[in-house]
Amino acid sequence: MTRFGFHASHEQIDPAQLLVDVRHAESVGFDMAMCSDHIAPWSSRQGHSGNNWTWLGAVLATTAFPIGTLAIPGHRYHPVVLAHQLATLAQMFPDRVWAALGSGEAMNEHVTGARWPQKEERVSHLEESVDVIRRLLTGEEVSHHGSFTVDRARLWDVPEAPPLLLGPAISPPSAARVATWADGLVTVSQPAEVLRDVVTAYSDAGGTGRLAVQVHLSWAPTLQEAEALAHDQWRSNVFAPPVPADTMTTQAFDAMAEHVPEGVVTQTVRVSEDLGRHREWLAEFAELGFDDIYLHHVGQDQAAFIEIFGEQVLPAVRGVNDASN
């Protein structure tokens, strides 16, 4: 059964309002939620970046459905610290917490002043971190000497069932690599043929668990409004790798995005005023095999989107999926 989730974008909305938005999403029938992990936004027009770990405690305590987050065992969060945070949340809220462990972006990690490594070094560090985090989540005492050091660390409060550690991947090679350790795959909306290759690479490499996709979309009462909203909020997010990972400041993203046209943004964001078109797009993601589809409306005011998608989009898409199963 395909599930539909709400994406809470910390870069775009302040944490107090995001609490309201997630509760709203739950009340209208969304199945779950996820959030980002940022200390800086992609653009000054977005203008926010609350702490996701503090926020997760509040939102899990005031909702009932599963909520996960991107999580970076990088310069800001030593793997032991990250494991400690995850273990505590999962112990308080059993079977409701997951984390997608990524290799990070310079805009969030440069703040410590540490050297920003090359991609292969970051991925190797991530894989070492996954092993340490998994062992800590079982209550094992861990020492480790590699790209980081752990000295006799132990978590004294661990959950009965450890939280799922998902693998974020955009390209087929990355999907195949995370398949060696992940409890499931998380990717983002791309052309159908690319997504098929990502899913196939993950499965062929032995990947298991649920397949999730985050869908960037823009809806408004008119197409002009939807296009303008997407261009204002998401034109800093259209650059191909390695730019997103290696650019260090919000100001640099704004400078690069200054002359990005609307047509480029619509290659990344599903933009339409037509709810029927959004239903078709979501059905296509389900047909590609995704078990979990997280909807990220790229606007900063989420209320109208949540209400109308909960009322007119999700029930219709669920009905199609139910009929096909």
Side-chain angles (χ1 to χ4, degrees):
M1 183 73 68
T2 304
R3 302 186 300 182
F4 295 91
F6 173 79
H7 175 68
S9 179
H10 280 290
E11 308 94 288
Q12 297 178 273
I13 303 166
D14 75 70
Q17 182 58 49
L18 274 180
L19 279 179
V20 174
D21 292 337
V22 172
R23 293 171 190 156
H24 187 186
E26 183 180 37
S27 74
V28 303
F30 281 79
D31 300 307
M32 56 200 174
M34 68 173 291
C35 74
S36 48
D37 172 18
H38 273 248
I39 199 170
W42 300 102
S43 168
S44 59
R45 296 179 305 281
Q46 296 173 348
H48 297 280
S49 268
N51 182 279
N52 64 312
W53 296 103
T54 306
W55 182 84
L56 279 166
V59 74
L60 284 160
T62 54
T63 59
F65 59 17
I67 303 175
T69 183
L70 194 67
I72 310 301
H75 301 324
R76 285 183 302 146
Y77 296 115
H78 188 283
V80 173
V81 174
L82 197 56
H84 195 191
Q85 293 169 153
L86 271 172
T88 298
L89 286 173
Q91 195 270 345
M92 293 190 293
F93 307 104
D95 301 318
R96 292 181 54 205
V97 180
W98 57 264
L101 300 181
S103 58
E105 289 116 1
M107 67 182 300
N108 298 307
E109 306 302 321
H110 80 91
V111 295
T112 67
R115 177 183 65 86
W116 180 241
Q118 295 295 313
K119 178 63 181 291
E120 181 56 37
E121 186 179 344
R122 300 198 309 271
V123 173
S124 178
H125 174 94
L126 169 63
E127 291 168 346
E128 287 182 47
S129 300
V130 170
D131 176 67
V132 166
I133 290 169
R134 284 200 186 280
R135 292 164 61 194
L136 288 168
L137 288 172
T138 68
E140 179 184 341
E141 181 178 285
V142 177
S143 291
H144 176 83
H145 300 279
S147 63
F148 59 93
T149 298
V150 178
D151 179 24
R152 294 165 293 177
R154 176 188 169 189
L155 303 182
W156 290 80
D157 289 288
V158 295
E160 288 189 17
L164 296 178
L165 303 181
L166 308 186
I170 296 176
S171 69
S174 293
R177 187 155 181 173
V178 301
T180 62
W181 59 261
D183 297 320
L185 174 75
V186 180
T187 189
V188 297
S189 51
Q190 301 181 80
E193 60 273 16
V194 177
L195 289 176
R196 285 194 191 94
D197 290 343
V198 168
V199 169
T200 298
Y202 181 75
S203 299
D204 287 353
T208 60
R210 296 181 72 87
L211 303 175
V213 61
Q214 181 192 86
V215 179
H216 304 303
L217 65 93
S218 179
W219 171 85
T222 69
L223 179 59
Q224 183 178 12
E225 290 174 289
E227 290 175 339
L229 185 154
H231 187 249
D232 176 70
Q233 283 293 297
W234 215 245
R235 67 178 182 268
S236 298
N237 298 69
V238 299
F239 306 108
V243 173
D246 290 343
T247 301
M248 290 199 171
T249 66
T250 301
Q251 293 78 9
F253 276 102
D254 276 337
M256 291 187 298
E258 186 175 354
H259 301 294
V260 171
E262 283 188 357
V264 171
V265 179
T266 56
Q267 296 173 21
T268 302
V269 182
R270 301 296 200 272
V271 180
S272 182
E273 84 292 3
D274 182 356
L275 293 175
R277 189 70 186 101
H278 284 287
R279 294 186 199 103
E280 291 171 358
W281 281 324
L282 294 180
E284 289 169 3
F285 286 111
E287 289 168 4
L288 285 169
F290 288 102
D291 306 294
D292 297 333
I293 301 174
Y294 290 92
L295 280 58
H296 173 209
H297 173 53
V298 298
Q300 292 181 295
D301 183 352
Q302 297 284 312
F305 152 74
I306 291 170
E307 196 68 31
I308 201 164
F309 272 63
E311 178 183 325
Q312 299 187 40
V313 175
L314 299 189
V317 180
R318 287 194 182 104
V320 170
N321 289 337
D322 291 345
S324 64
N325 289 333

